[in-house]
Amino acid sequence: MTNEVQPYQRIVRDVREKIVSGQFTGGEKLPSTRDLATEHRVSPGTVQRALAELRSAGLIYSHQGSGSYVSDSASKTDLDPTAQAIKALETQVERLAARLDRIESRLDD
């Protein structure tokens, strides 16, 4: 069994390092999915997976049709992997709670 890093994880690490180093700053638009796929020699789907992880970590946000941007708070975010995992879980719990509230309100009607 190998501990090789998955291609999407390399992209996550690369973008995270560029944010930490200040190469990417808050509000800055990231390269397009196509450009990132070309740069990292992966499929656009692999880039999308990396972007989803970066969004879950609160490092970027996306606008459909416009692209992905570095979060203003990204440079202030604790980039420790454990803290990121906790933040991602908190975000998921908040979303699930909101969905549950909507479902319950429909059942009450």
Side-chain angles (χ1 to χ4, degrees):
M1 185 173 177
T2 178
N3 289 334
E4 189 172 319
V5 176
Q6 295 293 317
Y8 82 93
Q9 292 169 322
R10 287 194 324 263
I11 299 167
V12 169
R13 184 179 56 215
D14 180 56
V15 172
R16 183 182 294 132
E17 287 173 1
K18 288 178 178 177
I19 291 170
V20 170
S21 72
Q23 189 173 347
F24 289 157
T25 59
E28 182 176 346
K29 185 175 180 179
L30 294 178
S32 70
T33 298
R34 184 181 309 154
D35 289 344
L36 287 170
T38 300
E39 176 184 345
H40 292 277
R41 297 181 178 164
V42 297
S43 72
T46 300
V47 172
Q48 290 297 330
R49 183 173 179 188
L51 295 176
E53 187 164 315
L54 291 162
R55 273 192 301 276
S56 291
L59 296 175
I60 67 167
Y61 61 94
S62 299
H63 289 294
Q64 188 170 355
S66 175
S68 297
Y69 299 82
V70 177
S71 297
D72 288 330
S73 61
S75 58
K76 300 171 195 149
T77 302
D78 183 357
L79 297 176
D80 173 60
T82 303
Q84 284 185 327
I86 291 169
K87 182 170 178 52
L89 288 172
E90 288 172 344
T91 301
Q92 289 176 342
V93 168
E94 288 172 7
R95 289 180 183 153
L96 288 171
R99 288 179 67 192
L100 182 58
D101 287 344
R102 288 193 302 269
I103 291 168
E104 288 175 341
S105 70
R106 281 189 229 143
L107 293 175
D108 291 339
D109 291 342

